[in-house]
Amino acid sequence: EKRARLESNTPFVFLTNQPFPRRRFLYYELLEQIKNAKRFVRFTTPYFVPSRRLLRALIRASRRGVEVSVLVPRNSDIYVVDLASHSFYEKLLKSGVHIYRGVKPFNHTKAGVIDGEWGTLGSLNLDSASLRYNFEGNLVTSDKGFVSALAEQFDSDCKSAEHLGKTS
């Protein structure tokens, strides 16, 4: 199945990502949801090295007035990933994306919420390897209670995180 079909009687779908052409269902769903976001996009990820398509989608969403926020650890457990992640910050901040760097302990959550209508939780990191080359699986949902809980957890985690300011 190419697209998550979330309906009121089945608001949860398990989507996978496989390192094969046309088998990255979760990646494509993520891009589609960001593209259609109207109010906000919020992601928590321990490893943030976005693909060109994901980077472009986040920047475009921010430029069209969507509040885009990403929560990453101050330091992950992989130093080279931290260096790669930091290389994207200036471009994202200039486009209005909010970046939060969490404090210890290391947050290994992989979750996202878009517009309070769609949420995801699972194994997919927002890094190129996870997005394009790894076998991953996430729960995707339109269930209001679950999406609300994801949003509340994101807000709570950001309260103790460092908010990187915009650059000019």
Side-chain angles (χ1 to χ4, degrees), residues 65-110:
V66 174
E67 181 193 300
V68 178
S69 302
V70 180
L71 174 63
V72 297
R74 180 178 310 275
N75 300 107
S76 77
D77 55 345
I78 305 174
Y79 181 69
V80 71
V81 171
D82 294 341
L83 291 176
S85 182
H86 297 171
S87 72
F88 293 96
Y89 290 0
E90 184 176 358
K91 186 172 190 170
L92 288 162
L93 291 167
K94 281 184 177 180
S95 70
V97 173
H98 298 271
I99 299 173
Y100 294 88
R101 293 194 320 171
V103 295
K104 293 183 180 181
F106 175 52
N107 187 343
H108 210 265
T109 303
K110 297 138 183 140

Side-chain angles (χ1 to χ4, degrees), residues 13-78:
V13 173
F14 187 77
L15 284 183
T16 59
N17 232 44
Q18 300 174 28
F20 306 113
R22 293 180 298 280
R23 303 293 294 173
R24 294 188 282 261
F25 305 120
L26 185 52
Y27 179 45
Y28 300 137
E29 173 71 8
L30 194 69
L31 292 171
E32 187 70 18
Q33 291 296 328
I34 294 168
K35 177 182 161 189
N36 293 323
K38 293 179 178 30
R39 297 183 297 130
F40 64 84
V41 171
R42 298 178 183 149
F43 286 108
T44 301
T45 184
Y47 309 114
F48 183 68
V49 183
S51 65
R52 265 188 268 151
R53 287 179 74 183
L54 178 59
L55 181 67
R56 190 171 43 240
L58 293 170
I59 289 171
R60 285 181 176 166
S62 181
R63 288 184 176 159
R64 69 175 187 271
V66 174
E67 181 193 300
V68 178
S69 302
V70 180
L71 174 63
V72 297
R74 180 178 310 275
N75 300 107
S76 77
D77 55 345
I78 305 174

Side-chain angles (χ1 to χ4, degrees), residues 104-164:
K104 293 183 180 181
F106 175 52
N107 187 343
H108 210 265
T109 303
K110 297 138 183 140
V113 177
I114 297 180
D115 291 343
E117 306 284 327
W118 181 92
T120 186
L121 179 68
S123 70
L124 185 74
N125 294 295
L126 297 185
D127 72 84
S128 297
S130 194
L131 293 167
R132 301 185 67 195
Y133 304 114
N134 293 350
F135 288 93
E136 304 287 359
N138 274 36
L139 188 64
V140 174
T141 186
S142 61
D143 179 82
K144 299 283 189 207
F146 194 86
V147 172
S148 178
L150 289 173
E152 287 173 20
Q153 186 63 55
F154 181 89
D155 292 342
S156 175
D157 291 342
C158 285
K159 285 179 184 171
S160 62
E162 172 190 15
H163 180 235
L164 300 183

